[in-house]
Structure formats: structure tokens, C-alpha cells
Amino acid sequence: MEHKRLTLFAGHYGSGKTNIAVNYAMLLADEGKRVCIADLDIVNPYFRTKDSEEELTERGITLISPRYANSNVDLPALPAESYRPIQDHSVFGVLDIGGDDRGAYALGRFADAIKAEGNYRMAFVINRHRPLTSTVEDTVEIMREIEAAAGIRFTCIVNNSNIGSETTSETVLNSLGYAEAVSRATELPIWLHTAEKSIAEGLSGIPVLPLTLQKKYFDLPN
């Protein structure tokens, strides 16, 4: 799998981007890369990269998250060190961007630096089983809103269509047509499909990122 120095994951609330961002960061670390993951989600206080802090730390991954993440205080502010993945070219940076256009505004302050370096992938995470992205038209509308807020255009698509713990290999395979239609409508390539590890092992012929994390991620897509 080809890697860019910076990988940004964004999508509508419920797309599953946090789970994917954490799993991708761990994949990079398992390949021997120095990795820094930053949680730029100032919209959703319930699913945080910090939920996986133990797993990330075990792999030597630096985690940057809002100061009050996983506490009873949740302020819409990012720590100053959020700039590190962008400024430190010695690490592979993974950025978890807040859901929908409101969350994407947080990325705006980094947009110029990211585009100037030019070594990034911005992945649009889609899930056809979420109410506001169940059709191609609605999905594309959400994508354009995020791009306008973030100041960066998406470069690829990650198909994370799932129905939580009820997901089967057929669920993934049945979403391929939807993902391909989104790809045609946006002229963006499909970079990856995703599935929980036990399901991914039964899929062949398509590029799949196996997901292995806390059960709650699969019970309620974030």
C-alpha cells in the first residue's frame, strides 16, 4: 500500500473516520514508521482517538487530542501541538477531521501548509447506511460542504459502509456499486474499502483495510 506523509480522514458524522484513522496509524507503525495522529474533531465528543490511547502508545504512536477529551468537559479548542504532524516532516501524520462541514473548519488553519508540501492524501470516508449519506447525491453534497469548509479538496474515497455488529461480507460487497457511483460522480478513485478484521479476511479482489478496535466502534459507527 502506497503511503503519503500526511493522511487526512474526513466524512459525515457516523462515517467511521475515527476508527479508520486509528487503524491506519497502527498499520503505519507496524511497518516501522514514526507516526503521529492528531484528533482535530471539535464536533463529536463521544468518539475520540483518545479512546484508543493504550493501543496507540503500545505501538509508539504519538497521540495529539483536545485537552479535555474523555472528560466531562468538552471545549471546541485544539491544542497548540496539533501543528506537529504538519510541521514535523520526520513523521507520518494521520489527521482525524471532525464530521461534516462544521468539524472541517478546524482543518482550515493547516490547509495552506498541507497543500504547500504536497505530500498528502485526503480521504472522504463514506457509509451508505447512515441517513444523510444513503444516496449518491446526498453523499456528494456532504463532500462538497466539507471541502469548502476545510479549504482542501479530497483526493480519494474510503468506503466504510457498515451496519455495526450486524455487518457481513455481503454488506461490504453490496456497497461496492454505491462506492463506484460516488467515485464516478466525484471523479475520485476508491482508495480502500474497510471491514472488521474477521470479515476482511473473507474478502478478495478489492483493496480492504482490516479494522480491529474496541467493540463500540462496530456497534455504533462514529
Side-chain angles (χ1 to χ4, degrees), residues 77-110:
L78 296 173
E81 60 266 29
S82 296
Y83 278 96
R84 182 183 171 188
I86 291 89
Q87 294 177 326
D88 185 353
H89 291 196
S90 71
V91 302
F92 280 78
V94 177
L95 279 65
D96 175 16
I97 313 302
D100 66 39
D101 58 323
R102 292 175 301 156
Y105 280 118
L107 181 62
R109 71 185 70 177
F110 308 111

PDB file of all heavy atoms in Angstrom, residues 77-110:
ATOM      1  N   ALA A  77     -11.803  23.429  21.170  1.00  0.00           N
ATOM      2  CA  ALA A  77     -10.482  24.034  21.014  1.00  0.00           C
ATOM      3  C   ALA A  77      -9.462  22.941  20.743  1.00  0.00           C
ATOM      4  O   ALA A  77      -9.591  21.813  21.212  1.00  0.00           O
ATOM      5  CB  ALA A  77     -10.100  24.808  22.267  1.00  0.00           C
ATOM      6  N   LEU A  78      -8.440  23.293  19.969  1.00  0.00           N
ATOM      7  CA  LEU A  78      -7.384  22.349  19.638  1.00  0.00           C
ATOM      8  C   LEU A  78      -6.099  22.747  20.345  1.00  0.00           C
ATOM      9  O   LEU A  78      -5.798  23.936  20.475  1.00  0.00           O
ATOM     10  CB  LEU A  78      -7.145  22.336  18.125  1.00  0.00           C
ATOM     11  CG  LEU A  78      -8.302  21.845  17.253  1.00  0.00           C
ATOM     12  CD1 LEU A  78      -7.975  22.066  15.789  1.00  0.00           C
ATOM     13  CD2 LEU A  78      -8.609  20.393  17.524  1.00  0.00           C
ATOM     14  N   PRO A  79      -5.320  21.768  20.806  1.00  0.00           N
ATOM     15  CA  PRO A  79      -4.043  22.092  21.451  1.00  0.00           C
ATOM     16  C   PRO A  79      -3.038  22.637  20.444  1.00  0.00           C
ATOM     17  O   PRO A  79      -3.114  22.338  19.244  1.00  0.00           O
ATOM     18  CB  PRO A  79      -3.585  20.734  22.007  1.00  0.00           C
ATOM     19  CG  PRO A  79      -4.261  19.721  21.138  1.00  0.00           C
ATOM     20  CD  PRO A  79      -5.587  20.318  20.768  1.00  0.00           C
ATOM     21  N   ALA A  80      -2.094  23.429  20.936  1.00  0.00           N
ATOM     22  CA  ALA A  80      -1.107  24.052  20.058  1.00  0.00           C
ATOM     23  C   ALA A  80      -0.284  23.015  19.302  1.00  0.00           C
ATOM     24  O   ALA A  80       0.124  23.240  18.155  1.00  0.00           O
ATOM     25  CB  ALA A  80      -0.188  24.959  20.874  1.00  0.00           C
ATOM     26  N   GLU A  81      -0.044  21.858  19.926  1.00  0.00           N
ATOM     27  CA  GLU A  81       0.785  20.840  19.277  1.00  0.00           C
ATOM     28  C   GLU A  81       0.082  20.164  18.100  1.00  0.00           C
ATOM     29  O   GLU A  81       0.667  19.293  17.436  1.00  0.00           O
ATOM     30  CB  GLU A  81       1.235  19.785  20.295  1.00  0.00           C
ATOM     31  CG  GLU A  81       0.134  19.025  20.980  1.00  0.00           C
ATOM     32  CD  GLU A  81      -0.264  19.643  22.321  1.00  0.00           C
ATOM     33  OE1 GLU A  81      -0.128  20.872  22.495  1.00  0.00           O
ATOM     34  OE2 GLU A  81      -0.722  18.878  23.188  1.00  0.00           O
ATOM     35  N   SER A  82      -1.156  20.542  17.822  1.00  0.00           N
ATOM     36  CA  SER A  82      -1.854  19.984  16.655  1.00  0.00           C
ATOM     37  C   SER A  82      -1.096  20.252  15.366  1.00  0.00           C
ATOM     38  O   SER A  82      -1.282  19.559  14.366  1.00  0.00           O
ATOM     39  CB  SER A  82      -3.261  20.571  16.547  1.00  0.00           C
ATOM     40  OG  SER A  82      -4.060  20.196  17.650  1.00  0.00           O
ATOM     41  N   TYR A  83      -0.229  21.255  15.374  1.00  0.00           N
ATOM     42  CA  TYR A  83       0.561  21.578  14.187  1.00  0.00           C
ATOM     43  C   TYR A  83       1.662  20.553  13.930  1.00  0.00           C
ATOM     44  O   TYR A  83       2.211  20.510  12.833  1.00  0.00           O
ATOM     45  CB  TYR A  83       1.219  22.951  14.347  1.00  0.00           C
ATOM     46  CG  TYR A  83       0.311  24.106  14.031  1.00  0.00           C
ATOM     47  CD1 TYR A  83      -0.374  24.773  15.037  1.00  0.00           C
ATOM     48  CD2 TYR A  83       0.122  24.535  12.716  1.00  0.00           C
ATOM     49  CE1 TYR A  83      -1.219  25.841  14.755  1.00  0.00           C
ATOM     50  CE2 TYR A  83      -0.714  25.598  12.419  1.00  0.00           C
ATOM     51  CZ  TYR A  83      -1.383  26.244  13.444  1.00  0.00           C
ATOM     52  OH  TYR A  83      -2.218  27.293  13.153  1.00  0.00           O
ATOM     53  N   ARG A  84       1.996  19.743  14.920  1.00  0.00           N
ATOM     54  CA  ARG A  84       3.173  18.886  14.783  1.00  0.00           C
ATOM     55  C   ARG A  84       3.145  17.969  13.567  1.00  0.00           C
ATOM     56  O   ARG A  84       4.143  17.883  12.829  1.00  0.00           O
ATOM     57  CB  ARG A  84       3.388  18.050  16.046  1.00  0.00           C
ATOM     58  CG  ARG A  84       4.647  17.198  15.908  1.00  0.00           C
ATOM     59  CD  ARG A  84       4.915  16.286  17.056  1.00  0.00           C
ATOM     60  NE  ARG A  84       6.001  15.376  16.719  1.00  0.00           N
ATOM     61  CZ  ARG A  84       6.369  14.352  17.453  1.00  0.00           C
ATOM     62  NH1 ARG A  84       5.764  14.104  18.597  1.00  0.00           N
ATOM     63  NH2 ARG A  84       7.350  13.568  17.066  1.00  0.00           N
ATOM     64  N   PRO A  85       2.045  17.247  13.294  1.00  0.00           N
ATOM     65  CA  PRO A  85       2.069  16.350  12.129  1.00  0.00           C
ATOM     66  C   PRO A  85       2.339  17.077  10.822  1.00  0.00           C
ATOM     67  O   PRO A  85       2.904  16.495   9.892  1.00  0.00           O
ATOM     68  CB  PRO A  85       0.664  15.731  12.135  1.00  0.00           C
ATOM     69  CG  PRO A  85       0.170  15.897  13.519  1.00  0.00           C
ATOM     70  CD  PRO A  85       0.765  17.170  14.016  1.00  0.00           C
ATOM     71  N   ILE A  86       1.947  18.343  10.748  1.00  0.00           N
ATOM     72  CA  ILE A  86       2.155  19.112   9.528  1.00  0.00           C
ATOM     73  C   ILE A  86       3.574  19.660   9.460  1.00  0.00           C
ATOM     74  O   ILE A  86       4.228  19.625   8.414  1.00  0.00           O
ATOM     75  CB  ILE A  86       1.137  20.266   9.433  1.00  0.00           C
ATOM     76  CG1 ILE A  86      -0.267  19.714   9.209  1.00  0.00           C
ATOM     77  CG2 ILE A  86       1.486  21.206   8.283  1.00  0.00           C
ATOM     78  CD1 ILE A  86      -1.035  19.396  10.446  1.00  0.00           C
ATOM     79  N   GLN A  87       4.092  20.125  10.587  1.00  0.00           N
ATOM     80  CA  GLN A  87       5.394  20.784  10.600  1.00  0.00           C
ATOM     81  C   GLN A  87       6.568  19.816  10.670  1.00  0.00           C
ATOM     82  O   GLN A  87       7.634  20.088  10.131  1.00  0.00           O
ATOM     83  CB  GLN A  87       5.463  21.755  11.789  1.00  0.00           C
ATOM     84  CG  GLN A  87       4.500  22.927  11.679  1.00  0.00           C
ATOM     85  CD  GLN A  87       4.550  23.814  12.905  1.00  0.00           C
ATOM     86  OE1 GLN A  87       4.747  23.343  14.027  1.00  0.00           O
ATOM     87  NE2 GLN A  87       4.354  25.108  12.716  1.00  0.00           N
ATOM     88  N   ASP A  88       6.387  18.685  11.351  1.00  0.00           N
ATOM     89  CA  ASP A  88       7.478  17.729  11.542  1.00  0.00           C
ATOM     90  C   ASP A  88       7.494  16.735  10.385  1.00  0.00           C
ATOM     91  O   ASP A  88       6.762  15.746  10.380  1.00  0.00           O
ATOM     92  CB  ASP A  88       7.304  17.000  12.880  1.00  0.00           C
ATOM     93  CG  ASP A  88       8.472  16.084  13.200  1.00  0.00           C
ATOM     94  OD1 ASP A  88       9.359  15.912  12.333  1.00  0.00           O
ATOM     95  OD2 ASP A  88       8.509  15.534  14.322  1.00  0.00           O
ATOM     96  N   HIS A  89       8.353  16.967   9.413  1.00  0.00           N
ATOM     97  CA  HIS A  89       8.392  16.125   8.223  1.00  0.00           C
ATOM     98  C   HIS A  89       9.092  14.789   8.465  1.00  0.00           C
ATOM     99  O   HIS A  89       9.201  13.971   7.540  1.00  0.00           O
ATOM    100  CB  HIS A  89       9.072  16.870   7.082  1.00  0.00           C
ATOM    101  CG  HIS A  89       8.262  18.021   6.561  1.00  0.00           C
ATOM    102  ND1 HIS A  89       8.524  18.624   5.347  1.00  0.00           N
ATOM    103  CD2 HIS A  89       7.196  18.664   7.077  1.00  0.00           C
ATOM    104  CE1 HIS A  89       7.658  19.599   5.138  1.00  0.00           C
ATOM    105  NE2 HIS A  89       6.835  19.640   6.179  1.00  0.00           N
ATOM    106  N   SER A  90       9.540  14.548   9.695  1.00  0.00           N
ATOM    107  CA  SER A  90      10.179  13.278  10.006  1.00  0.00           C
ATOM    108  C   SER A  90       9.167  12.215  10.428  1.00  0.00           C
ATOM    109  O   SER A  90       9.527  11.062  10.650  1.00  0.00           O
ATOM    110  CB  SER A  90      11.222  13.461  11.116  1.00  0.00           C
ATOM    111  OG  SER A  90      10.605  13.720  12.367  1.00  0.00           O
ATOM    112  N   VAL A  91       7.893  12.607  10.564  1.00  0.00           N
ATOM    113  CA  VAL A  91       6.870  11.655  10.979  1.00  0.00           C
ATOM    114  C   VAL A  91       5.824  11.500   9.888  1.00  0.00           C
ATOM    115  O   VAL A  91       5.668  12.357   9.020  1.00  0.00           O
ATOM    116  CB  VAL A  91       6.171  12.100  12.286  1.00  0.00           C
ATOM    117  CG1 VAL A  91       7.179  12.279  13.408  1.00  0.00           C
ATOM    118  CG2 VAL A  91       5.356  13.379  12.067  1.00  0.00           C
ATOM    119  N   PHE A  92       5.130  10.382   9.941  1.00  0.00           N
ATOM    120  CA  PHE A  92       3.942  10.195   9.119  1.00  0.00           C
ATOM    121  C   PHE A  92       2.757  10.677   9.955  1.00  0.00           C
ATOM    122  O   PHE A  92       2.505  10.158  11.044  1.00  0.00           O
ATOM    123  CB  PHE A  92       3.766   8.723   8.740  1.00  0.00           C
ATOM    124  CG  PHE A  92       4.646   8.296   7.590  1.00  0.00           C
ATOM    125  CD1 PHE A  92       5.993   8.040   7.808  1.00  0.00           C
ATOM    126  CD2 PHE A  92       4.135   8.170   6.312  1.00  0.00           C
ATOM    127  CE1 PHE A  92       6.817   7.656   6.753  1.00  0.00           C
ATOM    128  CE2 PHE A  92       4.950   7.788   5.253  1.00  0.00           C
ATOM    129  CZ  PHE A  92       6.290   7.533   5.469  1.00  0.00           C
ATOM    130  N   GLY A  93       2.061  11.683   9.446  1.00  0.00           N
ATOM    131  CA  GLY A  93       0.952  12.262  10.185  1.00  0.00           C
ATOM    132  C   GLY A  93      -0.390  11.732   9.714  1.00  0.00           C
ATOM    133  O   GLY A  93      -0.634  11.593   8.518  1.00  0.00           O
ATOM    134  N   VAL A  94      -1.247  11.412  10.682  1.00  0.00           N
ATOM    135  CA  VAL A  94      -2.614  10.989  10.401  1.00  0.00           C
ATOM    136  C   VAL A  94      -3.540  11.959  11.114  1.00  0.00           C
ATOM    137  O   VAL A  94      -3.402  12.189  12.315  1.00  0.00           O
ATOM    138  CB  VAL A  94      -2.879   9.550  10.896  1.00  0.00           C
ATOM    139  CG1 VAL A  94      -4.332   9.151  10.652  1.00  0.00           C
ATOM    140  CG2 VAL A  94      -1.932   8.564  10.217  1.00  0.00           C
ATOM    141  N   LEU A  95      -4.478  12.555  10.375  1.00  0.00           N
ATOM    142  CA  LEU A  95      -5.370  13.550  10.946  1.00  0.00           C
ATOM    143  C   LEU A  95      -6.814  13.065  10.872  1.00  0.00           C
ATOM    144  O   LEU A  95      -7.299  12.684   9.805  1.00  0.00           O
ATOM    145  CB  LEU A  95      -5.251  14.890  10.207  1.00  0.00           C
ATOM    146  CG  LEU A  95      -4.079  15.804  10.591  1.00  0.00           C
ATOM    147  CD1 LEU A  95      -2.744  15.146  10.237  1.00  0.00           C
ATOM    148  CD2 LEU A  95      -4.192  17.140   9.877  1.00  0.00           C
ATOM    149  N   ASP A  96      -7.483  13.071  12.018  1.00  0.00           N
ATOM    150  CA  ASP A  96      -8.889  12.712  12.123  1.00  0.00           C
ATOM    151  C   ASP A  96      -9.688  14.011  12.152  1.00  0.00           C
ATOM    152  O   ASP A  96      -9.665  14.745  13.138  1.00  0.00           O
ATOM    153  CB  ASP A  96      -9.112  11.896  13.409  1.00  0.00           C
ATOM    154  CG  ASP A  96     -10.580  11.584  13.664  1.00  0.00           C
ATOM    155  OD1 ASP A  96     -11.382  11.715  12.733  1.00  0.00           O
ATOM    156  OD2 ASP A  96     -10.907  11.211  14.814  1.00  0.00           O
ATOM    157  N   ILE A  97     -10.379  14.306  11.048  1.00  0.00           N
ATOM    158  CA  ILE A  97     -11.079  15.576  10.899  1.00  0.00           C
ATOM    159  C   ILE A  97     -12.525  15.443  11.372  1.00  0.00           C
ATOM    160  O   ILE A  97     -13.182  14.428  11.126  1.00  0.00           O
ATOM    161  CB  ILE A  97     -11.077  16.032   9.425  1.00  0.00           C
ATOM    162  CG1 ILE A  97      -9.671  15.893   8.821  1.00  0.00           C
ATOM    163  CG2 ILE A  97     -11.591  17.468   9.307  1.00  0.00           C
ATOM    164  CD1 ILE A  97      -8.608  16.665   9.550  1.00  0.00           C
ATOM    165  N   GLY A  98     -13.036  16.470  12.026  1.00  0.00           N
ATOM    166  CA  GLY A  98     -14.388  16.450  12.550  1.00  0.00           C
ATOM    167  C   GLY A  98     -15.442  16.199  11.490  1.00  0.00           C
ATOM    168  O   GLY A  98     -15.276  16.549  10.326  1.00  0.00           O
ATOM    169  N   GLY A  99     -16.544  15.585  11.898  1.00  0.00           N
ATOM    170  CA  GLY A  99     -17.618  15.265  10.972  1.00  0.00           C
ATOM    171  C   GLY A  99     -18.299  16.495  10.402  1.00  0.00           C
ATOM    172  O   GLY A  99     -18.415  17.515  11.055  1.00  0.00           O
ATOM    173  N   ASP A 100     -18.732  16.406   9.183  1.00  0.00           N
ATOM    174  CA  ASP A 100     -19.430  17.407   8.371  1.00  0.00           C
ATOM    175  C   ASP A 100     -18.644  18.708   8.254  1.00  0.00           C
ATOM    176  O   ASP A 100     -17.485  18.809   8.662  1.00  0.00           O
ATOM    177  CB  ASP A 100     -20.858  17.641   8.855  1.00  0.00           C
ATOM    178  CG  ASP A 100     -20.991  18.280  10.234  1.00  0.00           C
ATOM    179  OD1 ASP A 100     -20.198  19.170  10.566  1.00  0.00           O
ATOM    180  OD2 ASP A 100     -21.917  17.891  10.962  1.00  0.00           O
ATOM    181  N   ASP A 101     -19.267  19.726   7.678  1.00  0.00           N
ATOM    182  CA  ASP A 101     -18.535  20.950   7.382  1.00  0.00           C
ATOM    183  C   ASP A 101     -18.128  21.720   8.624  1.00  0.00           C
ATOM    184  O   ASP A 101     -17.100  22.392   8.649  1.00  0.00           O
ATOM    185  CB  ASP A 101     -19.351  21.849   6.443  1.00  0.00           C
ATOM    186  CG  ASP A 101     -20.707  22.207   7.015  1.00  0.00           C
ATOM    187  OD1 ASP A 101     -21.320  21.349   7.668  1.00  0.00           O
ATOM    188  OD2 ASP A 101     -21.164  23.343   6.789  1.00  0.00           O
ATOM    189  N   ARG A 102     -18.909  21.624   9.703  1.00  0.00           N
ATOM    190  CA  ARG A 102     -18.538  22.346  10.928  1.00  0.00           C
ATOM    191  C   ARG A 102     -17.204  21.848  11.470  1.00  0.00           C
ATOM    192  O   ARG A 102     -16.344  22.623  11.864  1.00  0.00           O
ATOM    193  CB  ARG A 102     -19.627  22.182  11.991  1.00  0.00           C
ATOM    194  CG  ARG A 102     -20.943  22.859  11.664  1.00  0.00           C
ATOM    195  CD  ARG A 102     -21.960  22.528  12.735  1.00  0.00           C
ATOM    196  NE  ARG A 102     -22.163  21.086  12.830  1.00  0.00           N
ATOM    197  CZ  ARG A 102     -22.618  20.468  13.930  1.00  0.00           C
ATOM    198  NH1 ARG A 102     -22.885  21.164  15.012  1.00  0.00           N
ATOM    199  NH2 ARG A 102     -22.801  19.168  13.936  1.00  0.00           N
ATOM    200  N   GLY A 103     -17.049  20.529  11.513  1.00  0.00           N
ATOM    201  CA  GLY A 103     -15.799  19.972  12.002  1.00  0.00           C
ATOM    202  C   GLY A 103     -14.638  20.252  11.079  1.00  0.00           C
ATOM    203  O   GLY A 103     -13.492  20.399  11.523  1.00  0.00           O
ATOM    204  N   ALA A 104     -14.920  20.347   9.780  1.00  0.00           N
ATOM    205  CA  ALA A 104     -13.851  20.556   8.801  1.00  0.00           C
ATOM    206  C   ALA A 104     -13.232  21.945   8.897  1.00  0.00           C
ATOM    207  O   ALA A 104     -12.106  22.152   8.442  1.00  0.00           O
ATOM    208  CB  ALA A 104     -14.388  20.325   7.390  1.00  0.00           C
ATOM    209  N   TYR A 105     -13.937  22.888   9.497  1.00  0.00           N
ATOM    210  CA  TYR A 105     -13.370  24.230   9.646  1.00  0.00           C
ATOM    211  C   TYR A 105     -12.053  24.192  10.430  1.00  0.00           C
ATOM    212  O   TYR A 105     -11.167  25.020  10.220  1.00  0.00           O
ATOM    213  CB  TYR A 105     -14.358  25.159  10.358  1.00  0.00           C
ATOM    214  CG  TYR A 105     -15.437  25.692   9.454  1.00  0.00           C
ATOM    215  CD1 TYR A 105     -16.777  25.393   9.697  1.00  0.00           C
ATOM    216  CD2 TYR A 105     -15.138  26.489   8.351  1.00  0.00           C
ATOM    217  CE1 TYR A 105     -17.786  25.858   8.873  1.00  0.00           C
ATOM    218  CE2 TYR A 105     -16.141  26.965   7.510  1.00  0.00           C
ATOM    219  CZ  TYR A 105     -17.462  26.648   7.784  1.00  0.00           C
ATOM    220  OH  TYR A 105     -18.450  27.112   6.950  1.00  0.00           O
ATOM    221  N   ALA A 106     -11.914  23.233  11.341  1.00  0.00           N
ATOM    222  CA  ALA A 106     -10.701  23.128  12.156  1.00  0.00           C
ATOM    223  C   ALA A 106      -9.476  22.848  11.291  1.00  0.00           C
ATOM    224  O   ALA A 106      -8.352  23.185  11.664  1.00  0.00           O
ATOM    225  CB  ALA A 106     -10.858  22.035  13.205  1.00  0.00           C
ATOM    226  N   LEU A 107      -9.693  22.229  10.136  1.00  0.00           N
ATOM    227  CA  LEU A 107      -8.576  21.908   9.250  1.00  0.00           C
ATOM    228  C   LEU A 107      -8.100  23.136   8.486  1.00  0.00           C
ATOM    229  O   LEU A 107      -6.956  23.181   8.030  1.00  0.00           O
ATOM    230  CB  LEU A 107      -8.993  20.816   8.259  1.00  0.00           C
ATOM    231  CG  LEU A 107      -7.938  20.326   7.268  1.00  0.00           C
ATOM    232  CD1 LEU A 107      -6.762  19.697   8.005  1.00  0.00           C
ATOM    233  CD2 LEU A 107      -8.566  19.323   6.294  1.00  0.00           C
ATOM    234  N   GLY A 108      -8.952  24.137   8.383  1.00  0.00           N
ATOM    235  CA  GLY A 108      -8.641  25.302   7.568  1.00  0.00           C
ATOM    236  C   GLY A 108      -7.334  25.979   7.928  1.00  0.00           C
ATOM    237  O   GLY A 108      -6.596  26.439   7.047  1.00  0.00           O
ATOM    238  N   ARG A 109      -6.997  26.021   9.207  1.00  0.00           N
ATOM    239  CA  ARG A 109      -5.772  26.703   9.630  1.00  0.00           C
ATOM    240  C   ARG A 109      -4.510  25.994   9.149  1.00  0.00           C
ATOM    241  O   ARG A 109      -3.435  26.577   9.114  1.00  0.00           O
ATOM    242  CB  ARG A 109      -5.741  26.822  11.160  1.00  0.00           C
ATOM    243  CG  ARG A 109      -5.507  25.510  11.891  1.00  0.00           C
ATOM    244  CD  ARG A 109      -5.604  25.667  13.391  1.00  0.00           C
ATOM    245  NE  ARG A 109      -6.973  25.931  13.818  1.00  0.00           N
ATOM    246  CZ  ARG A 109      -7.338  26.048  15.087  1.00  0.00           C
ATOM    247  NH1 ARG A 109      -6.415  25.966  16.039  1.00  0.00           N
ATOM    248  NH2 ARG A 109      -8.588  26.256  15.408  1.00  0.00           N
ATOM    249  N   PHE A 110      -4.652  24.696   8.796  1.00  0.00           N
ATOM    250  CA  PHE A 110      -3.499  23.918   8.342  1.00  0.00           C
ATOM    251  C   PHE A 110      -3.454  23.783   6.818  1.00  0.00           C
ATOM    252  O   PHE A 110      -2.482  23.270   6.268  1.00  0.00           O
ATOM    253  CB  PHE A 110      -3.534  22.510   8.944  1.00  0.00           C
ATOM    254  CG  PHE A 110      -3.704  22.473  10.437  1.00  0.00           C
ATOM    255  CD1 PHE A 110      -4.879  22.011  11.008  1.00  0.00           C
ATOM    256  CD2 PHE A 110      -2.693  22.898  11.268  1.00  0.00           C
ATOM    257  CE1 PHE A 110      -5.040  21.961  12.371  1.00  0.00           C
ATOM    258  CE2 PHE A 110      -2.835  22.858  12.643  1.00  0.00           C
ATOM    259  CZ  PHE A 110      -4.020  22.394  13.196  1.00  0.00           C
TER     260      PHE A 110
END
